[in-house]
Amino acid sequence: MSGLLADQLNGLPAPLPPGEAIVWQGRPDAGRLLQEAFHARAVAFYFVVLSAAGLLMGSVTGALLTVGAGAICLGVLAMLARASARTSVYTLTDRRLVLRVGMALPMHFNLPLKQVEAADLRLAADGSGDIALRLAGNGRIAWALLWPHVRPWRTRNPEPMLRAVPDAETVARLLHQCCAALVEVEADAPAPVQARPVRRPARIAAQPAGVAA
């Protein structure tokens, strides 16, 4: 999806200001989102175990009802994953990262690159992956508002996350380059009356695909 214009994906709340440019734009992969964020495999395994238990207890009808309930549940999760992927847009500019999320009520979250302290990359075997962002400052975004575009189990200090991004390693590299370029601009700018040390660009830390999401 990279290279598409903002008005094509409707990923920005307003036109970009002069001097700001889109570096990358994309959306989650629905299939990976179904597996990783909605845990479809775990749900399917749960219903398989229940069905097997029903057969062992001699209740064929109960086992069939459990299989039907599992199929309905997986179907609902698949629809939610597809809707989430279709309504979500990630936009990386040379100054910020914009997350357009929300199935029923679309919201835009602007994350200035100056606030990105580090990014944790988790790659899957097919090259897709998740990029979790650790942000500086006191401003926090509610975990529930970001889900599923947020790192699991980090409710106290939520970390926005680009979920199930195709070619995630390339996206992480672009993110690092934008942060590094922004730091270089700050370093070249005239020093204020009270000089402050220029912060380092965001660090990209890769994690193995086996880490649980």
Side-chain angles (χ1 to χ4, degrees):
M1 289 284 181
S2 59
L4 294 180
L5 297 176
D7 58 351
Q8 289 178 301
L9 285 179
N10 193 26
L12 296 173
L16 292 176
E20 185 175 1
I22 294 178
V23 177
W24 171 85
Q25 196 172 58
R27 65 172 83 243
D29 178 78
R32 299 296 304 180
L33 201 63
L34 176 63
Q35 295 180 25
E36 298 175 3
F38 292 89
H39 305 287
R41 290 180 178 175
V43 173
F45 179 76
Y46 172 76
F47 280 101
V48 167
V49 171
L50 288 182
S51 300
L55 289 175
L56 291 175
M57 296 175 62
S59 177
V60 177
T61 302
L64 292 176
L65 290 176
T66 302
V67 170
I72 294 174
C73 185
L74 290 174
V76 171
L77 292 180
M79 288 189 295
L80 290 175
R82 176 176 293 184
S84 180
R86 186 177 64 251
T87 57
S88 302
V89 181
Y90 305 139
T91 304
L92 173 65
T93 76
D94 51 3
R95 297 181 184 177
R96 56 181 164 150
L97 184 64
V98 182
L99 275 63
R100 180 193 183 276
V101 300
M103 289 177 278
L105 181 63
M107 296 175 289
H108 292 86
F109 295 99
N110 285 282
L111 309 176
L113 297 183
K114 292 181 179 180
Q115 295 183 3
V116 178
E117 287 189 335
D120 294 328
L121 169 64
R122 188 176 70 92
L123 284 173
D126 61 355
S128 65
D130 304 327
I131 305 174
L133 306 174
R134 281 178 277 172
L135 305 177
N138 297 325
R140 302 296 180 190
I141 305 174
W143 192 92
L145 291 178
L146 282 171
W147 191 88
H149 314 274
V150 63
R151 192 168 189 170
W153 317 117
R154 303 293 176 92
T155 55
R156 177 171 296 183
N157 296 311
E159 298 181 8
M161 186 162 68
L162 307 185
R163 276 275 195 176
V165 176
D167 198 9
E169 190 172 4
T170 298
V171 179
R173 188 180 301 111
L174 291 173
L175 174 63
H176 176 75
Q177 291 173 355
C178 290
C179 291
L182 198 60
V183 170
E184 290 178 0
V185 171
E186 291 180 351
D188 293 337
V193 176
Q194 184 178 359
R196 295 177 298 175
V198 178
R199 63 174 185 81
R200 299 177 179 177
R203 175 177 59 84
I204 305 295
Q207 297 181 1
V211 178

